[in-house]
Amino acid sequence: ETGVTQTPRHLVMGMTNKKSLKCEQHLGHNAMYWYKQSAKKPLELMFVYSLEERVENNSVPSRFSPECPNSSHLFLHLHTLQPEDSALYLCASSRTQRNNSPLHFGNGTRLTVT
Amino acid sequence: GDSVTQMEGPVTLSEEAFLTINCTYTATGYPSLFWYVQYPGEGLQLLLKATKADDKGSNKGFEATYRKETTSFHLEKGSVQVSDSAVYFCALDPSGSARQLTFGSGTQLTVLP
């Protein structure tokens, strides 16, 4: 039990589908993150939500849409994805965004776009 | 901009061998430095960190020393185990803000019995 739970673990979707990834943290943290992990590339921060602010990476396409209804839950809504979006999507949380607060990661959702 | 460069893998060692995974960084100011580990099928876990020059981070037998003069944060372990097989990520945080964390591309370590 990592304290950060992601569902589903695996997802296969067609390019015309709409799906959502879910993340839940039980650590009482106030900041949550979506990262994209592709083979042989550094982790890419996609979105950050915290009590202080929402931060977006401007290079993330609009076919990825985050939602953070409260400090414990984070969603990533997916629509009309491309095959190059296939990757491991990791959710993380931290106590705050600042003060070197370490990240706690979930086990990820392995997404395959066909 | 800030960047982290790790030695390319994969690295394959026999059990009880000495491990070094090199990490160098480019950053302005005085970043904090981290090593994260990702075991198969899991997310990343913080392994150790150092927040200022000459600090040594350590955990589970792993160590890394923040060397400002060589801009390095190499990961070492004196005697690796099969259970250490994982991907290791070096990362830097220039400002204490997690959203500015920059990761290296990871180094796959396989330890053979």
Side-chain angles (χ1 to χ4, degrees):
Chain A
E1 174 58 56
T2 66
V4 179
T5 304
Q6 289 187 244
T7 54
R9 288 299 306 271
H10 301 272
L11 177 63
V12 179
M13 59 187 288
M15 289 190 285
T16 58
N17 292 158
K18 288 185 181 181
K19 297 285 185 183
S20 296
L21 310 185
K22 179 181 176 182
C23 177
E24 184 174 0
Q25 59 96 0
H26 312 278
L27 300 169
H29 288 169
N30 293 315
M32 296 186 76
Y33 312 77
W34 280 117
Y35 280 88
K36 177 182 180 182
Q37 185 177 23
S38 303
K40 303 207 186 294
K41 289 185 179 180
L43 265 69
E44 175 188 351
L45 179 63
M46 301 175 73
F47 302 102
V48 181
Y49 276 85
S50 70
L51 290 180
E52 296 92 355
E53 61 183 331
R54 163 181 164 170
V55 176
E56 299 189 20
N57 181 341
N58 291 329
S59 68
V60 177
S62 59
R63 56 186 183 267
F64 294 92
S65 174
E67 178 190 0
C68 189
N70 55 60
S71 61
S72 298
H73 294 86
L74 184 65
F75 296 90
L76 188 63
H77 303 301
L78 316 171
H79 65 97
T80 59
L81 294 191
Q82 304 298 311
E84 61 264 29
D85 297 322
S86 299
L88 182 67
Y89 288 85
L90 292 166
C91 175
S93 69
S94 62
R95 188 171 54 81
T96 75
Q97 267 197 69
R98 304 192 175 97
N99 299 321
N100 294 310
S101 186
L103 296 176
H104 294 253
F105 284 84
N107 288 338
T109 294
R110 173 68 62 186
L111 173 67
T112 303
V113 181
T114 60
Chain B
D2 300 329
S3 67
V4 175
T5 302
Q6 288 182 235
M7 65 184 289
E8 290 198 18
V11 174
T12 302
L13 296 173
S14 298
E15 206 164 22
E16 300 184 0
F18 185 86
L19 168 71
T20 300
I21 299 179
N22 290 338
C23 172
T24 56
Y25 67 90
T26 303
T28 55
Y30 303 95
S32 296
L33 301 173
F34 304 83
W35 278 100
Y36 280 81
V37 58
Q38 185 176 30
Y39 297 103
E42 299 183 10
L44 281 71
Q45 303 174 24
L46 179 64
L47 181 60
L48 53 85
K49 69 177 184 181
T51 57
K52 60 183 189 295
D54 300 325
D55 268 2
K56 178 186 285 188
S58 62
N59 185 24
K60 299 181 181 180
F62 291 89
E63 293 182 340
T65 301
Y66 188 158
R67 302 281 188 203
K68 192 171 189 307
E69 63 276 14
T70 55
T71 62
S72 65
F73 193 54
H74 304 321
L75 182 68
E76 296 182 337
K77 186 174 185 182
S79 176
V80 292
Q81 305 301 311
V82 172
S83 57
D84 294 326
S85 298
V87 182
Y88 292 81
F89 293 89
C90 186
L92 74 81
D93 179 353
S95 64
S97 170
R99 66 180 170 89
Q100 294 187 326
L101 200 59
T102 298
F103 287 88
S105 54
T107 302
Q108 171 75 57
L109 170 67
T110 301
V111 180
L112 302 175

